[in-house]
Every structure is written in C-alpha cells, then in structure tokens.
Amino acid sequence: MTKYDKKWNLQYEKLVEFKRKNGHCLVPQAYKEDKTLGLWARTQQVFHRKNKMRQNQKDLLNVLGFVWSVIDINELQARTEARTKHNKKWANTVWNMQYAKLVEFKRNNGHCIVTRGYKEDKPLGRWVHAQRESRTENTIRCYQKDL
C-alpha cells in the first residue's frame, strides 16, 4: 500500500465517522474539528470533476453517499420551488385539456365511459383511467371530483 493510499484511507475513515455523527457527508471545507478532512473532501470533488479519481475510491465514496457537487442551498431551494410551480401549472393545463376532451366525448357519445385503451385518443383513455384510480384512492382534488 502506498503512502497516498494510507492517507486516503485515513481520511476516508474520518469521513465514515463524520457521517455516523452527522448523518451526511457534506463536510465543510473549513471544518473546524478537522481541517484536513474538509480539504480532503473538497479535493475528492475536484478529482472527480476532472476524472482523476480511482474507480475503487469513487465506489467507496458513492456507497457512503458522498456529494460530488455542492449547490448553494438557497439556489437549490429556489430551483426546487420554481420546478414545483412549473410542474403544477403544467399538470393543471394538461388536466384541463383532457377534461375538455372528455366533455366533448360525452357530447358526442352521451356517456363518459372511455376505456383505458380507447383507440381514437389513447391519452384521453389513459387520463380517464388515472382519474378513476385517483377517485378510488381518494387522491383526486375536490374541485376536480365535483366536475
């Protein structure tokens, strides 16, 4: 075992202990309790980004749940909120479009019995099936149930 391997393994063991105590592997770069651990963790992220990391070391860190890229927590939260807002808006738009198609189907056929495999409009058939499941599981929104 090389001197590098011994140092790496020592820091890895410190990281294992850090995770045991803290529940995560996000060691601050300026970690006051052990400055060498913070610097080592940052070095692993850089080596990984530059593809200069041994696969066995990468595998060990992955198993431990090592974070390879740290995004500022506020930025991450902002991205998550924006994505959630966009997804809700998109989902409501899709729901309303499919509902309008169901109203048209009823106008033309006199009923709302659209089978899951409805050949003329497969997305409508899947959507109606999903609505039935949501109603059965009681996960459909109240205002949607009333329509």
Side-chain angles (χ1 to χ4, degrees), residues 18 24-32 34-35 37-39 41:
F18 178 91
H24 60 78
C25 294
L26 293 169
V27 183
Q29 189 169 347
Y31 184 47
K32 291 179 182 177
D34 185 346
K35 292 180 182 179
L37 181 59
L39 292 171

Side-chain angles (χ1 to χ4, degrees), residues 95 135 138 140-147:
W95 195 94
R135 185 178 176 102
N138 204 26
I140 195 166
R141 295 182 183 135
C142 292
Y143 73 91
Q144 292 173 339
K145 188 188 317 184
D146 295 339
L147 294 175

